[in-house]
Amino acid sequence: MDPIPETPQTPPRLDTDLEKQEVDDVFASPSQGGTTVVADEIEAQASPKLGIKRSITDYLRKVSLPDKFPEPWRRRTIEPCGEAERIQRIDSHPEGYPQLAAFINSDDNFAMCRRFGFLHQRVLLYRQDELRDLEDQLVRLDDEDKEEMPKALKSRKLDDIREGSYRRGLIQQIDDKLKEYVDVVERIKSLSSYKSATTRDHTSVSNWLTNNATLSGEESEFIHHKSDLIALADLEEGSWFDGFVEDCLSKVPCRATRLLFTSPDQRNSTKDAYVHLYSKARINILVRLVVCLLAVLLLMVPVVLLLLVPALNPIKIVVIVLFTLFFSFVLSVCTRAKRHEVFGATAA
Protein backbone atom coordinates (compact mmCIF):
# COMPACT_ATOMS: atom_id res chain seq x y z
CA MET A 1 0.00 0.00 0.00
CA ASP A 2 1.28 3.50 -0.87
CA PRO A 3 2.16 5.70 2.06
CA ILE A 4 -0.25 8.45 2.99
CA PRO A 5 0.89 11.70 1.35
CA GLU A 6 1.81 14.49 3.65
CA THR A 7 -0.12 17.73 3.21
CA PRO A 8 0.32 21.14 4.78
CA GLN A 9 -2.70 20.37 6.98
CA THR A 10 -1.21 17.04 8.16
CA PRO A 11 1.92 17.33 10.35
CA PRO A 12 4.85 15.16 9.25
CA ARG A 13 5.15 11.80 10.99
CA LEU A 14 8.25 11.43 13.09
CA ASP A 15 10.18 8.39 14.19
CA THR A 16 9.42 8.56 17.93
CA ASP A 17 12.38 6.56 19.15
CA LEU A 18 14.86 8.48 17.00
CA GLU A 19 13.42 11.85 18.05
CA LYS A 20 13.63 10.93 21.73
CA GLN A 21 17.23 9.75 21.31
CA GLU A 22 18.18 13.08 19.69
CA VAL A 23 16.55 15.06 22.52
CA ASP A 24 18.35 12.90 25.09
CA ASP A 25 21.64 13.60 23.34
CA VAL A 26 20.87 17.32 23.39
CA PHE A 27 20.27 17.35 27.13
CA ALA A 28 23.22 15.05 27.86
CA SER A 29 25.85 17.16 26.04
CA PRO A 30 26.96 20.08 28.25
CA SER A 31 28.28 23.23 26.67
CA GLN A 32 31.15 25.41 27.77
CA GLY A 33 30.36 28.42 29.91
CA GLY A 34 26.63 27.76 30.27
CA THR A 35 23.77 25.62 29.08
CA THR A 36 23.37 26.95 25.49
CA VAL A 37 23.23 24.12 22.93
CA VAL A 38 25.57 24.32 19.95
CA ALA A 39 23.74 23.84 16.64
CA ASP A 40 26.67 22.13 14.83
CA GLU A 41 26.64 19.23 17.29
CA ILE A 42 22.92 18.77 16.76
CA GLU A 43 23.33 18.80 12.98
CA ALA A 44 25.96 16.09 13.12
CA GLN A 45 23.65 13.83 15.10
CA ALA A 46 20.33 14.66 13.44
CA SER A 47 18.92 12.25 10.89
CA PRO A 48 18.39 13.51 7.32
CA LYS A 49 15.06 11.66 7.24
CA LEU A 50 13.48 14.13 9.64
CA GLY A 51 11.79 16.88 7.77
CA ILE A 52 11.80 19.26 10.69
CA LYS A 53 15.49 18.86 11.58
CA ARG A 54 16.37 22.32 10.37
CA SER A 55 13.51 23.96 12.30
CA ILE A 56 14.58 22.21 15.51
CA THR A 57 18.18 23.30 14.95
CA ASP A 58 17.22 26.90 14.31
CA TYR A 59 15.02 26.90 17.36
CA LEU A 60 17.73 25.51 19.61
CA ARG A 61 20.19 28.13 18.30
CA LYS A 62 18.05 30.84 19.85
CA VAL A 63 16.95 29.14 23.04
CA SER A 64 19.09 28.41 26.09
CA LEU A 65 18.13 25.51 28.29
CA PRO A 66 17.03 26.50 31.79
CA ASP A 67 19.01 25.53 34.85
CA LYS A 68 16.20 23.28 36.01
CA PHE A 69 14.85 21.10 33.22
CA PRO A 70 11.11 20.38 33.22
CA GLU A 71 9.87 16.93 34.04
CA PRO A 72 10.74 14.28 32.94
CA TRP A 73 14.14 15.59 31.73
CA ARG A 74 15.24 17.12 35.03
CA ARG A 75 18.16 15.22 36.50
CA ARG A 76 17.63 14.26 40.12
CA THR A 77 20.62 14.25 42.41
CA ILE A 78 20.79 13.14 46.03
CA GLU A 79 22.33 15.78 48.23
CA PRO A 80 24.87 14.48 50.72
CA CYS A 81 24.01 14.65 54.40
CA GLY A 82 25.08 18.02 55.78
CA GLU A 83 25.57 19.49 59.21
CA ALA A 84 21.84 20.04 59.69
CA GLU A 85 21.14 16.29 59.54
CA ARG A 86 23.66 15.33 62.16
CA ILE A 87 22.49 14.18 65.55
CA GLN A 88 22.08 17.13 67.88
CA ARG A 89 23.97 16.14 71.00
CA ILE A 90 23.37 17.75 74.38
CA ASP A 91 27.10 18.25 74.87
CA SER A 92 27.42 20.10 71.54
CA HIS A 93 25.46 23.09 72.87
CA PRO A 94 27.18 25.86 74.83
CA GLU A 95 26.95 25.64 78.59
CA GLY A 96 24.12 27.60 80.15
CA TYR A 97 20.59 27.95 78.89
CA PRO A 98 21.33 26.34 75.47
CA GLN A 99 22.60 23.13 77.08
CA LEU A 100 19.81 23.11 79.67
CA ALA A 101 17.19 23.52 76.93
CA ALA A 102 18.77 20.65 74.98
CA PHE A 103 18.70 18.42 78.06
CA ILE A 104 15.05 19.19 78.84
CA ASN A 105 14.14 18.63 75.20
CA SER A 106 15.78 15.18 75.23
CA ASP A 107 12.89 13.68 77.23
CA ASP A 108 9.25 14.77 77.42
CA ASN A 109 9.15 14.01 81.14
CA PHE A 110 11.79 16.69 81.76
CA ALA A 111 9.51 19.44 80.38
CA MET A 112 8.42 21.33 83.49
CA CYS A 113 7.99 24.93 84.59
CA ARG A 114 6.72 26.98 87.51
CA ARG A 115 3.03 27.65 87.92
CA PHE A 116 3.65 30.83 89.94
CA GLY A 117 0.56 30.04 91.95
CA PHE A 118 1.36 32.56 94.70
CA LEU A 119 1.69 35.44 92.23
CA HIS A 120 -1.46 34.47 90.37
CA GLN A 121 -3.41 34.39 93.62
CA ARG A 122 -2.03 37.80 94.63
CA VAL A 123 -3.10 39.32 91.32
CA LEU A 124 -6.50 37.64 91.61
CA LEU A 125 -7.06 38.99 95.10
CA TYR A 126 -5.99 42.49 93.99
CA ARG A 127 -8.38 42.52 91.02
CA GLN A 128 -11.11 41.11 93.21
CA ASP A 129 -10.79 43.94 95.73
CA GLU A 130 -10.75 46.52 92.94
CA LEU A 131 -14.07 45.16 91.76
CA ARG A 132 -15.40 45.25 95.33
CA ASP A 133 -14.57 48.94 95.54
CA LEU A 134 -16.23 49.68 92.21
CA GLU A 135 -19.25 47.65 93.27
CA ASP A 136 -19.61 49.77 96.43
CA GLN A 137 -19.44 52.96 94.38
CA LEU A 138 -22.18 51.73 92.06
CA VAL A 139 -24.41 50.72 94.96
CA ARG A 140 -23.97 54.12 96.66
CA LEU A 141 -24.76 55.88 93.40
CA ASP A 142 -27.94 53.85 93.02
CA ASP A 143 -28.99 54.69 96.57
CA GLU A 144 -28.46 58.41 95.94
CA ASP A 145 -30.47 58.37 92.72
CA LYS A 146 -33.20 56.40 94.46
CA GLU A 147 -33.83 59.38 96.74
CA GLU A 148 -33.00 62.32 94.44
CA MET A 149 -33.85 61.16 90.90
CA PRO A 150 -35.53 57.76 90.67
CA LYS A 151 -36.29 58.26 86.97
CA ALA A 152 -32.57 57.96 86.22
CA LEU A 153 -32.69 54.36 87.43
CA LYS A 154 -35.50 53.55 85.00
CA SER A 155 -33.98 55.06 81.83
CA ARG A 156 -30.41 54.71 80.67
CA LYS A 157 -30.79 57.51 78.14
CA LEU A 158 -32.09 59.92 80.76
CA ASP A 159 -29.28 59.01 83.10
CA ASP A 160 -26.64 59.53 80.38
CA ILE A 161 -27.83 63.00 79.32
CA ARG A 162 -28.41 64.46 82.77
CA GLU A 163 -25.79 66.80 84.17
CA GLY A 164 -23.30 65.45 86.67
CA SER A 165 -24.02 61.75 86.05
CA TYR A 166 -20.98 59.52 86.02
CA ARG A 167 -22.72 56.13 86.08
CA ARG A 168 -21.78 55.44 82.46
CA GLY A 169 -18.08 55.95 83.11
CA LEU A 170 -18.32 53.84 86.26
CA ILE A 171 -19.96 50.98 84.33
CA GLN A 172 -17.22 51.13 81.70
CA GLN A 173 -14.57 51.04 84.40
CA ILE A 174 -16.25 48.02 86.00
CA ASP A 175 -16.36 46.28 82.62
CA ASP A 176 -12.63 46.80 82.07
CA LYS A 177 -11.80 45.45 85.52
CA LEU A 178 -14.07 42.46 84.99
CA LYS A 179 -12.18 41.56 81.82
CA GLU A 180 -8.89 41.67 83.71
CA TYR A 181 -10.39 39.64 86.54
CA VAL A 182 -11.78 36.93 84.25
CA ASP A 183 -8.48 36.77 82.38
CA VAL A 184 -6.64 36.01 85.63
CA VAL A 185 -9.26 33.42 86.59
CA GLU A 186 -8.92 31.66 83.23
CA ARG A 187 -5.15 31.61 83.52
CA ILE A 188 -5.29 30.10 86.99
CA LYS A 189 -7.82 27.52 85.84
CA SER A 190 -5.69 26.60 82.82
CA LEU A 191 -2.53 26.18 84.88
CA SER A 192 -4.39 24.19 87.54
CA SER A 193 -5.34 21.59 84.93
CA TYR A 194 -1.67 20.61 84.55
CA LYS A 195 -0.41 17.88 86.82
CA SER A 196 2.46 18.49 89.18
CA ALA A 197 5.89 17.29 88.13
CA THR A 198 6.67 13.86 89.53
CA THR A 199 9.37 13.43 92.15
CA ARG A 200 11.39 11.22 89.81
CA ASP A 201 11.43 13.74 86.95
CA HIS A 202 12.12 16.65 89.29
CA THR A 203 15.05 14.77 90.82
CA SER A 204 16.48 14.02 87.38
CA VAL A 205 16.46 17.67 86.28
CA SER A 206 17.68 18.88 89.69
CA ASN A 207 20.61 16.43 89.72
CA TRP A 208 21.61 17.42 86.20
CA LEU A 209 21.57 21.11 87.12
CA THR A 210 23.62 20.44 90.26
CA ASN A 211 26.22 18.31 88.49
CA ASN A 212 26.64 20.54 85.46
CA ALA A 213 26.18 23.95 87.12
CA THR A 214 25.04 25.49 83.85
CA LEU A 215 23.18 28.44 85.41
CA SER A 216 24.04 31.00 88.03
CA GLY A 217 22.87 30.46 91.59
CA GLU A 218 19.83 32.75 91.52
CA GLU A 219 18.60 31.70 88.09
CA SER A 220 18.71 28.00 88.95
CA GLU A 221 16.55 28.39 92.06
CA PHE A 222 13.38 27.64 90.10
CA ILE A 223 14.12 23.92 90.39
CA HIS A 224 13.87 24.11 94.19
CA HIS A 225 10.18 25.11 94.06
CA LYS A 226 9.04 21.53 93.62
CA SER A 227 5.45 22.09 94.77
CA ASP A 228 5.07 24.88 92.20
CA LEU A 229 6.43 22.93 89.22
CA ILE A 230 3.99 21.51 86.66
CA ALA A 231 4.59 18.86 84.02
CA LEU A 232 3.99 20.13 80.49
CA ALA A 233 3.83 16.68 78.92
CA ASP A 234 0.65 14.65 79.26
CA LEU A 235 1.68 11.63 81.32
CA GLU A 236 0.54 8.30 79.94
CA GLU A 237 -1.30 5.78 82.06
CA GLY A 238 0.99 3.88 84.35
CA SER A 239 3.77 6.41 83.79
CA TRP A 240 5.09 5.77 87.29
CA PHE A 241 5.44 2.09 86.37
CA ASP A 242 7.31 3.08 83.21
CA GLY A 243 9.67 5.12 85.37
CA PHE A 244 10.11 2.17 87.72
CA VAL A 245 11.08 -0.03 84.77
CA GLU A 246 13.54 2.60 83.52
CA ASP A 247 15.13 2.82 86.97
CA CYS A 248 15.51 -0.96 87.07
CA LEU A 249 17.11 -0.98 83.63
CA SER A 250 19.50 1.80 84.66
CA LYS A 251 20.72 -0.28 87.58
CA VAL A 252 21.44 -3.27 85.36
CA PRO A 253 25.04 -2.88 84.06
CA CYS A 254 24.32 -4.60 80.76
CA ARG A 255 25.01 -3.30 77.30
CA ALA A 256 22.14 -5.37 75.91
CA THR A 257 19.57 -3.30 77.81
CA ARG A 258 20.96 -0.11 76.30
CA LEU A 259 20.78 -1.55 72.82
CA LEU A 260 17.26 -2.92 73.28
CA PHE A 261 15.60 0.01 75.01
CA THR A 262 17.41 3.07 73.62
CA SER A 263 17.53 4.44 70.10
CA PRO A 264 20.83 5.32 68.35
CA ASP A 265 20.04 9.02 68.66
CA GLN A 266 19.55 8.72 72.41
CA ARG A 267 22.78 6.76 72.88
CA ASN A 268 24.75 9.40 71.00
CA SER A 269 23.05 12.43 72.55
CA THR A 270 25.51 12.80 75.44
CA LYS A 271 28.67 11.34 76.91
CA ASP A 272 27.48 11.87 80.48
CA ALA A 273 27.56 8.46 82.15
CA TYR A 274 24.85 9.52 84.60
CA VAL A 275 22.29 10.40 81.92
CA HIS A 276 20.21 7.44 80.73
CA LEU A 277 17.64 8.14 78.03
CA TYR A 278 15.21 5.42 77.01
CA SER A 279 12.84 5.04 74.10
CA LYS A 280 9.27 5.59 75.28
CA ALA A 281 7.88 3.26 72.62
CA ARG A 282 10.17 0.38 73.60
CA ILE A 283 9.58 0.86 77.32
CA ASN A 284 5.85 0.93 76.64
CA ILE A 285 6.06 -2.44 74.86
CA LEU A 286 7.91 -3.97 77.81
CA VAL A 287 5.39 -2.54 80.29
CA ARG A 288 2.48 -3.91 78.29
CA LEU A 289 4.08 -7.35 78.30
CA VAL A 290 4.52 -7.19 82.07
CA VAL A 291 0.90 -6.06 82.58
CA CYS A 292 -0.36 -8.87 80.35
CA LEU A 293 1.67 -11.36 82.37
CA LEU A 294 0.22 -10.00 85.62
CA ALA A 295 -3.30 -10.26 84.21
CA VAL A 296 -2.78 -13.91 83.31
CA LEU A 297 -1.29 -14.69 86.71
CA LEU A 298 -4.17 -12.99 88.51
CA LEU A 299 -6.61 -15.19 86.63
CA MET A 300 -4.80 -18.51 86.70
CA VAL A 301 -3.08 -18.62 90.09
CA PRO A 302 -6.26 -18.42 92.21
CA VAL A 303 -7.93 -21.03 90.00
CA VAL A 304 -5.04 -23.45 90.51
CA LEU A 305 -4.96 -22.78 94.26
CA LEU A 306 -8.70 -23.35 94.58
CA LEU A 307 -8.35 -26.68 92.79
CA LEU A 308 -5.58 -27.78 95.14
CA VAL A 309 -7.40 -26.81 98.32
CA PRO A 310 -9.91 -29.39 99.56
CA ALA A 311 -13.58 -28.56 99.47
CA LEU A 312 -15.22 -26.67 102.37
CA ASN A 313 -11.84 -25.33 103.45
CA PRO A 314 -11.79 -21.73 104.75
CA ILE A 315 -8.50 -21.17 102.93
CA LYS A 316 -10.49 -20.86 99.70
CA ILE A 317 -12.21 -17.76 101.02
CA VAL A 318 -8.87 -16.25 101.99
CA VAL A 319 -7.44 -16.95 98.50
CA ILE A 320 -10.43 -15.34 96.81
CA VAL A 321 -10.29 -12.22 99.02
CA LEU A 322 -6.54 -11.78 98.64
CA PHE A 323 -6.50 -12.07 94.87
CA THR A 324 -9.56 -9.83 94.53
CA LEU A 325 -7.80 -7.14 96.55
CA PHE A 326 -4.61 -7.59 94.55
CA PHE A 327 -6.56 -7.30 91.29
CA SER A 328 -8.14 -4.03 92.43
CA PHE A 329 -4.74 -2.70 93.50
CA VAL A 330 -3.11 -3.50 90.14
CA LEU A 331 -6.05 -2.00 88.24
CA SER A 332 -5.89 1.23 90.27
CA VAL A 333 -2.12 1.64 90.13
CA CYS A 334 -1.20 0.47 86.63
CA THR A 335 -4.08 2.11 84.77
CA ARG A 336 -6.04 5.36 84.74
CA ALA A 337 -9.24 3.61 85.72
CA LYS A 338 -11.68 5.76 87.69
CA ARG A 339 -13.16 4.69 90.98
CA HIS A 340 -16.44 3.44 89.56
CA GLU A 341 -14.55 1.55 86.86
CA VAL A 342 -12.37 -0.18 89.46
CA PHE A 343 -15.47 -1.01 91.49
CA GLY A 344 -17.28 -2.46 88.46
CA ALA A 345 -14.30 -4.52 87.31
CA THR A 346 -13.76 -5.91 90.81
CA ALA A 347 -17.42 -6.80 91.23
CA ALA A 348 -17.44 -8.57 87.88
Side-chain angles (χ1 to χ4, degrees):
M1 174 181 273
D2 295 334
I4 300 175
E6 297 176 353
T7 62
Q9 291 77 16
T10 304
R13 293 171 296 171
L14 303 178
D15 188 350
T16 306
D17 295 334
L18 184 58
E19 180 185 2
K20 184 177 180 181
Q21 181 63 34
E22 289 186 358
V23 177
D24 286 339
D25 295 338
V26 169
F27 284 99
S29 58
S31 59
Q32 299 293 334
T35 57
T36 306
V37 179
V38 182
D40 296 338
E41 296 178 3
I42 300 176
E43 287 188 30
Q45 300 175 7
S47 172
K49 295 181 180 180
L50 295 176
I52 61 171
K53 171 184 70 66
R54 178 59 60 184
S55 62
I56 294 178
T57 304
D58 295 339
Y59 176 76
L60 292 177
R61 277 200 183 110
K62 303 176 181 179
V63 178
S64 296
L65 296 178
D67 294 336
K68 294 184 178 179
F69 300 133
E71 296 287 354
W73 308 107
R74 182 164 49 195
R75 297 180 181 274
R76 294 181 176 89
T77 58
I78 301 178
E79 297 293 338
C81 295
E83 295 292 331
E85 297 184 6
R86 293 192 313 173
I87 299 174
Q88 284 291 339
R89 303 175 66 251
I90 298 175
D91 302 337
S92 65
H93 294 272
E95 292 186 358
Y97 280 105
Q99 197 170 100
L100 175 60
F103 172 75
I104 294 177
N105 187 59
S106 64
D107 194 308
D108 292 340
N109 292 337
F110 296 160
M112 60 185 69
C113 65
R114 288 192 60 182
R115 182 187 288 111
F116 288 103
F118 171 75
L119 295 181
H120 275 98
Q121 292 299 332
R122 284 296 305 270
V123 173
L124 180 64
L125 293 173
Y126 193 88
R127 298 300 181 211
Q128 181 177 264
D129 192 67
E130 286 181 332
L131 285 171
R132 179 203 57 79
D133 185 39
L134 293 174
E135 182 183 27
D136 291 343
Q137 296 181 34
L138 182 62
V139 171
R140 287 196 301 267
L141 181 61
D142 293 342
D143 293 339
E144 293 175 0
D145 289 342
K146 179 181 178 181
E147 300 293 337
E148 300 178 0
M149 192 175 184
K151 292 183 178 180
L153 298 177
K154 300 179 181 180
S155 173
R156 180 193 59 82
K157 293 181 179 180
L158 179 62
D159 182 67
D160 289 345
I161 62 177
R162 70 169 179 156
E163 184 178 359
S165 175
Y166 63 96
R167 180 178 282 105
R168 182 175 183 179
L170 181 60
I171 293 293
Q172 182 62 46
Q173 189 176 359
I174 292 175
D175 184 48
D176 295 338
K177 291 299 179 182
L178 281 174
K179 292 178 181 178
E180 297 178 3
Y181 180 79
V182 172
D183 178 66
V184 177
V185 171
E186 291 295 332
R187 280 184 287 167
I188 294 177
K189 181 181 178 181
S190 177
L191 290 174
S192 299
S193 63
Y194 290 91
K195 295 185 177 181
S196 300
T198 62
T199 302
R200 177 178 179 272
D201 298 332
H202 171 263
T203 303
S204 299
V205 178
S206 178
N207 290 341
W208 190 88
L209 275 172
T210 303
N211 296 330
N212 293 272
T214 57
L215 300 182
S216 62
E218 294 181 354
E219 299 186 24
S220 62
E221 288 183 356
F222 75 93
I223 200 63
H224 301 306
H225 298 268
K226 181 181 180 301
S227 60
D228 196 49
L229 292 174
I230 56 176
L232 301 182
D234 185 18
L235 302 180
E236 299 180 356
E237 62 175 356
S239 57
W240 76 267
F241 191 61
D242 295 10
F244 174 75
V245 172
E246 292 182 8
D247 292 338
C248 293
L249 293 176
S250 301
K251 296 178 181 179
V252 177
C254 181
R255 180 177 176 82
T257 58
R258 295 276 294 172
L259 295 176
L260 288 175
F261 299 103
T262 61
S263 63
D265 292 354
Q266 291 172 329
R267 290 193 294 270
N268 298 326
S269 61
T270 180
K271 293 182 180 180
D272 193 341
Y274 297 99
V275 177
H276 302 283
L277 302 175
Y278 292 95
S279 173
K280 300 300 180 184
R282 300 181 186 184
I283 294 294
N284 189 37
I285 293 175
L286 177 61
V287 170
R288 289 180 180 274
L289 293 176
V290 174
V291 172
C292 290
L293 180 61
L294 284 176
V296 173
L297 292 177
L298 288 175
L299 291 175
M300 298 305 300
V301 171
V303 173
V304 174
L305 292 178
L306 291 176
L307 292 176
L308 296 177
V309 176
L312 302 178
N313 195 318
I315 298 180
K316 286 188 174 182
I317 303 299
V318 176
V319 171
I320 294 175
V321 172
L322 290 178
F323 276 90
T324 303
L325 291 175
F326 188 60
F327 172 79
S328 302
F329 174 78
V330 172
L331 189 64
S332 302
V333 172
C334 297
T335 66
R336 285 186 176 181
K338 298 180 180 179
R339 296 176 182 176
H340 66 277
E341 294 173 343
V342 175
F343 179 79
T346 305

